[in-house]
Amino acid sequence: MEFKKNNTVILRIEDMSQDGLGIGKAEGYALFVKDTVIGDLAKVKILKTKKNYGFARLEELLEASDKRTEPKCPLARPCGGCQLQMMKYEEQLRWKEQKVRSDLQRLGGFQEIPMEPIQGMENPFRYRNKAQFPIGYDREGKLVAGFYAGRTHTIIPADDCLLGSESNRRILERILDWMEQYGIAAYREDTGKGLVRHALIRSGFATGEIMVCLVINGKQFPRGKELTESLTQIPGMTSITFSSNTRRDNVILGDSYEVLWGQDYITDSIGEIRYQISPLSFYQVNPVQTRRLYRQALEYAGLTGKETVYDLYCGIGTISLFLAQRAGKVFGVEIVPQAVEDARANARLNGITNAEFFAGRAEEIVPRQYREQGIRADVVVVDPPRKGCGEELLETMTAMAPEKIVYVSCDPATLARDLKYLCARGYELKKVRAFDQFPQTVHVETVCLLSNRKPDTKVRVDVDLEDYYRIKDAEKNQN
């Protein structure tokens, strides 16, 4: 059989890719098919072919797998947000746990993986406290808000995402009504014209407070009074702001924001810790699972009240302040200055005095504090972005040789790479646990505990660390 674009074939889905595509084979030729799960028998239409594999679209489901369920959202297929909504939730959890295990084995070289059971959710819907809705036009020229279809910038109208807060629908309706009433144009990517680009909505699940931030293609915000009068009728509305972004790229928010009404932040809490969250703050989108995740990180750290802890990539201090409840001293390091200001404000908000925050690259802050102040961490907690840790930071961590490293990751592949590096330089992987932070999607959060194989060599390690930084300084001077 010849495999060409637009040909249709029938195949059984035997596996799933890392990004949630079903994989089936026809005469040995692999096809990746969106919206299918393992066990499906499907008629598919080929969209793109390579030498040894291709991509296809589900045309007809001939036999449904016992792992399949009917998606709750009618837009699950065209919308690019939920890649796994057609899969039963217990199967999603099994798949994600295996995804973490597979990456650690395949990319990290680990054979015996000390995995604990994945932590799922009782209700895997309505869990998101943040949503970013692009605003534009449909084919008839009508204003719409929704989400981008998979791998495109075509907006699928969706005023009520089942992963987000129910209040989002009322907010979007009022924004679109305001735009239509006063002739406020939506941004058009093809021309770079139009004003309103996105609506960012945050909800404090513990407090009921709501934030709306409109991203605009300009510096002036017309008819702001009329918009605030409409939005403030919604119970819980606390902050209305706008952020100017005139760049023609894929970055959503601008570099700053201005207040139209109310505060420039909302508050929320995770456990006993309260946080102030601005439009630009990074804050975990699933507060239920975040509380569990942070408690697990705290348990892995095994703090007794005497330890010095570094929290690297600390953001607005979410993990730092959890750790400070049981640590002697916590040093948070974050490259974004505004996030550091937020972290300091959050420490004051909670009356926490044993957490200190620094703005800059961890690769520079940590060595400087060791050399100038003799600060050495007993525990390092690291929660990097999807790309993982830079090698320079991993070098710094292993040179400092803390007794424990707690690694929180949102990408199993870069986690596996970094754990391989750390375990080749004196650490042992002791515990791994996946958390379903993002139900219905392919994403998964993981927390790991690493232990120094030689925790009794502190004096030797400190001497080595001085030598390490001396060599690094010499290398920089030569360059």
Side-chain angles (χ1 to χ4, degrees):
M1 179 178 180
E2 191 173 5
F3 296 97
K4 292 183 177 181
K5 182 178 179 180
N6 295 325
N7 281 3
T8 59
V9 296
I10 294 175
L11 46 78
R12 178 77 68 178
I13 303 300
E14 301 171 353
D15 201 354
M16 290 188 71
S17 70
Q18 293 284 303
D19 51 1
L21 300 178
I23 305 173
K25 291 185 178 180
E27 298 181 6
Y29 187 78
L31 287 169
F32 293 78
V33 189
K34 183 178 176 292
D35 304 313
T36 59
V37 300
I38 295 173
D40 282 344
L41 182 66
K43 179 180 179 182
V44 305
K45 183 176 182 179
I46 298 174
L47 302 177
K48 187 177 182 180
T49 60
K50 299 285 186 179
K51 182 178 180 181
N52 297 315
Y53 65 93
F55 296 89
R57 180 178 65 214
L58 175 63
E59 290 284 287
E60 183 181 355
L61 187 63
L62 303 177
E63 182 182 311
S65 166
D66 60 2
K67 297 177 173 60
R68 173 177 282 275
T69 188
E70 185 66 26
K72 286 189 176 184
C73 177
L75 301 176
R77 283 195 67 180
C79 176
C82 291
Q83 302 90 2
L84 300 181
Q85 204 176 126
M86 81 297 296
M87 184 187 291
K88 291 179 179 178
Y89 187 58
E90 59 270 23
E91 294 298 332
Q92 292 184 35
L93 294 178
R94 274 193 280 270
W95 181 78
K96 290 183 180 185
E97 187 174 88
Q98 181 55 34
K99 179 178 180 177
V100 174
R101 186 189 305 275
S102 175
D103 278 351
L104 291 179
Q105 291 173 336
R106 183 172 53 89
L107 303 176
F110 297 95
Q111 299 305 315
E112 299 296 327
I113 301 172
M115 286 198 71
E116 300 185 289
I118 187 171
Q119 176 67 68
M121 295 193 73
E122 291 76 19
N123 177 20
F125 290 94
R126 299 292 187 193
Y127 63 83
R128 286 189 64 96
N129 57 21
K130 174 187 174 184
Q132 296 176 137
F133 295 90
I135 294 177
Y137 299 96
D138 63 16
R139 293 179 179 177
E140 285 72 42
K142 181 183 177 181
L143 278 168
V144 293
F147 297 103
Y148 291 129
R151 304 180 186 275
T152 76
H153 271 206
T154 301
I155 299 175
I156 302 296
D159 57 5
D160 185 25
C161 172
L162 297 184
L163 302 190
S165 171
E166 291 180 275
S167 63
N168 291 346
R169 181 173 190 169
R170 286 176 292 165
I171 293 169
L172 291 174
E173 287 175 350
R174 289 173 183 263
I175 291 172
L176 295 180
D177 287 346
W178 164 77
M179 292 177 67
E180 289 178 351
Q181 183 175 354
Y182 295 103
I184 307 295
Y187 178 74
R188 294 182 182 272
E189 289 188 351
D190 56 345
T191 64
K193 305 295 184 182
L195 184 69
V196 180
R197 303 178 67 144
H198 283 80
L200 164 67
I201 305 173
R202 290 185 185 268
S203 302
F205 278 24
T207 62
E209 297 179 3
I210 298 173
M211 166 188 290
V212 174
C213 179
L214 285 186
V215 183
I216 64 170
N217 178 41
K219 303 296 183 183
Q220 302 299 318
F221 196 97
R223 298 288 185 172
K225 180 181 178 182
E226 289 81 357
L227 177 63
T228 58
E229 286 177 350
S230 177
L231 291 178
T232 51
Q233 296 175 26
I234 297 174
M237 190 60 62
T238 304
S239 172
I240 304 175
T241 62
F242 72 92
S243 177
S244 175
N245 179 8
T246 58
R247 300 187 300 266
R248 298 186 69 172
D249 55 25
N250 291 328
V251 177
I252 294 176
L253 286 164
D255 298 324
S256 62
Y257 59 90
E258 295 185 34
V259 176
L260 282 172
W261 177 89
Q263 303 172 170
D264 65 348
Y265 63 88
I266 60 172
T267 57
D268 199 16
S269 62
I270 300 175
E272 299 76 29
I273 305 297
R274 297 172 63 208
Y275 301 95
Q276 291 183 354
I277 308 150
S278 74
L280 302 182
S281 295
F282 171 78
Y283 185 67
Q284 292 278 9
V285 301
N286 185 336
V288 173
Q289 290 294 81
T290 297
R291 182 179 184 180
R292 293 166 170 167
L293 176 71
Y294 287 1
R295 282 182 172 176
Q296 188 71 76
L298 191 58
E299 179 184 319
Y300 281 179
L303 303 177
T304 65
K306 300 178 181 179
E307 294 84 359
T308 298
V309 181
Y310 266 113
D311 178 17
L312 309 181
Y313 304 99
C314 72
I316 65 171
T318 46
I319 296 182
S320 302
L321 301 183
F322 251 70
L323 297 168
Q325 297 174 97
R326 297 187 189 176
K329 182 74 175 183
V330 176
F331 295 95
V333 183
E334 168 62 48
I335 197 170
V336 180
Q338 180 60 52
V340 172
E341 291 301 316
D342 289 344
R344 291 168 179 162
N346 287 327
R348 293 192 295 270
L349 181 67
N350 290 278
I352 291 175
T353 59
N354 63 332
E356 195 171 349
F357 298 93
F358 299 88
R361 298 176 67 242
E363 296 89 338
E364 298 172 357
I365 298 291
V366 173
R368 184 167 69 241
Q369 289 186 331
Y370 175 80
R371 287 178 293 186
E372 296 177 0
Q373 302 176 44
I375 296 172
R376 175 191 177 275
D378 301 296
V379 178
V380 169
V381 178
V382 59
D383 184 8
R386 193 168 299 280
K387 66 180 180 180
C389 297
E391 187 169 335
E392 190 177 356
L393 177 57
L394 294 173
E395 284 183 4
T396 300
M397 290 163 61
T398 54
M400 193 189 330
E403 294 175 16
K404 297 177 182 177
I405 296 174
V406 179
Y407 195 129
V408 181
S409 169
C410 59
D411 188 300
T414 55
L415 170 67
R417 179 200 66 199
D418 291 351
L419 293 185
K420 182 177 182 179
Y421 182 100
L422 293 168
C423 289
R425 290 160 178 79
Y427 283 86
E428 181 180 359
L429 182 60
K430 303 293 288 186
K431 293 182 179 181
V432 179
R433 191 172 193 187
F435 285 76
D436 191 20
Q437 196 84 345
F438 315 99
Q440 318 306 330
T441 80
V442 296
H443 304 296
V444 60
E445 202 90 0
T446 311
V447 59
C448 303
L449 170 64
L450 297 99
S451 177
N452 191 339
R453 294 195 189 98
K454 299 179 180 179
D456 58 341
T457 58
K458 180 177 178 180
V459 175
R460 181 190 63 78
V461 168
D462 283 350
V463 173
D464 288 350
L465 192 58
E466 291 176 348
D467 291 340
Y468 168 80
Y469 290 130
R470 193 178 298 115
I471 294 169
K472 285 296 178 184
D473 286 342
E475 290 175 349
K476 288 180 181 179
N477 292 333
Q478 287 177 356
N479 295 332

